[in-house]
Amino acid sequence: MAVKLSPYLSFKDNARPAMEFYQTVFGGKLDISTFKDYQMAQSPTEENLVMHGILITEHDLTLMGSDTPGHMEYKPGVNAFSVALSGELDDEPTLRSYFDKLAVGGTIAMPMDKAPWGDIFGMCVDQFGITWLVNITATPAVAQ
């Protein structure tokens, strides 16, 4: 089994619609557990919030997220992180589709276009405030 790095996103009371939105973008299987499912709600208003959500796609992407409970401080990660998607020219239609869907209701900071380093690159902020970087490698990978 390979070691994998998976983004884990924190939200304030909107993890479920965010994770469901990402499922419409990437497809795959979404599993959501609430604070109530694990008897971890510290107030009735937290029972249906997401304690852990995981989306696993057919392209082997994994995205996780949860709501921040009331007893914990929520600090939105503006400019503190972004999620990068990358692939080869063969993946261009898929990656462009992801970019277009993520930008709906959000803001395109940099349209998908040829970048100074030769790849195709774009950046957007989705409707939940998450920054996405999409890079399509212009040249095929060299076998080593």
Side-chain angles (χ1 to χ4, degrees):
M1 181 174 160
V3 174
K4 291 173 63 172
L5 177 66
S6 303
Y8 201 108
L9 307 176
S10 297
F11 299 92
K12 187 64 176 169
D13 303 338
N14 63 348
R16 182 179 299 273
M19 295 300 291
E20 289 170 348
F21 168 72
Y22 298 135
Q23 185 181 31
T24 69
V25 172
F26 301 114
K29 183 176 185 319
L30 175 62
D31 288 315
I32 290 181
S33 301
T34 65
F35 284 92
K36 183 179 181 179
D37 292 337
Y38 291 97
Q39 294 83 43
M40 296 295 291
Q42 292 194 4
S43 80
T45 60
E46 294 180 348
E47 288 183 347
N48 293 318
L49 294 180
V50 175
M51 183 173 159
H52 179 70
I54 183 168
L55 175 64
I56 301 174
T57 76
E58 54 271 5
H59 291 288
D60 204 27
L61 302 174
T62 301
L63 183 64
M64 295 179 276
S66 65
D67 284 306
T68 304
H71 68 279
M72 295 174 67
E73 186 177 6
Y74 176 68
K75 294 181 183 179
V78 179
N79 295 332
F81 73 94
S82 52
V83 181
L85 294 169
S86 56
E88 304 292 326
L89 280 174
D90 291 350
D91 304 312
E92 183 174 356
T94 299
L95 290 166
R96 283 187 180 274
S97 174
Y98 290 163
F99 182 86
D100 293 342
K101 291 175 185 176
L102 288 165
V104 173
T107 304
I108 295 176
M110 185 178 266
M112 294 290 296
D113 204 354
K114 186 169 181 172
W117 56 91
D119 293 349
I120 299 167
F121 178 80
M123 181 169 51
C124 67
V125 178
D126 72 24
Q127 62 185 307
F128 298 99
I130 304 300
T131 300
W132 294 84
L133 312 173
V134 179
N135 192 81
I136 303 165
T137 304
T139 56
V142 177
Q144 302 210 9

